[in-house]
Amino acid sequence: MIRHIVMFRWKDSFTEDIRAQWIDGLDRLQGEIPGLLALQHGPDVMRTDKSWDHVIIADFEDREALAVYNTHPAHEAIKPFSLPNVRDLAYVDLELPAGNAGSTLTHSTPTTEDDS
């Protein structure tokens, strides 16, 4: 499974009307795109100097499903709302064990012989 995390910082041009259309499109993605297992998104609540404005966390069956998502018509339809209004964009894609869609990511540190 692949977890796709995208963080956005918006320009002033990202108005409430544009935001509402973008969010409406985001909310319709799950169920429309094959291989998209879970999608969560929301605005930052802390609003610190280092905060990003919005995050998307999406889980996909595999890398191929993520590739389908990237060019799927439902995803392409919302890009005109977000991309022209992005000041900064960052993303990461990480592999998780199958069956963890929508779950919290946990990190385990391997033990060494000295730890036993």
Side-chain angles (χ1 to χ4, degrees):
M1 185 180 80
I2 302 295
R3 179 159 291 166
H4 177 63
I5 302 170
V6 186
M7 297 183 302
F8 301 85
R9 285 194 181 115
W10 303 116
K11 295 178 185 175
D12 291 339
S13 59
F14 195 61
T15 64
E16 286 304 317
D17 182 54
I18 294 169
R19 181 187 318 270
Q21 293 178 73
W22 181 67
I23 287 174
D24 183 54
L26 275 177
D27 290 342
R28 288 191 313 246
L29 291 179
Q30 194 165 349
E32 287 193 37
I33 300 177
L36 174 58
L37 304 173
L39 187 140
Q40 301 172 24
H41 68 90
D44 175 66
V45 297
M46 300 303 288
R47 298 181 187 228
T48 69
D49 290 342
K50 294 184 180 183
S51 294
W52 292 77
D53 297 323
H54 204 97
V55 67
I56 297 171
I57 303 170
D59 293 338
F60 295 90
E61 289 177 356
D62 51 31
R63 292 174 189 210
E64 292 78 19
L66 177 56
V68 167
Y69 163 80
N70 280 328
T71 59
H72 191 279
H75 185 223
E76 291 295 321
I78 63 173
K79 288 180 181 179
F81 297 110
S82 59
L83 294 183
N85 298 296
V86 169
R87 182 173 44 121
D88 292 309
L89 178 73
Y91 62 89
V92 64
D93 300 302
L94 59 140
E95 195 159 11
L96 297 175
N100 284 341
S103 66
T104 304
L105 175 64
T106 59
H107 175 77
S108 60
T109 304
T111 58
T112 64
E113 291 179 21
D114 294 338
D115 294 335
S116 21

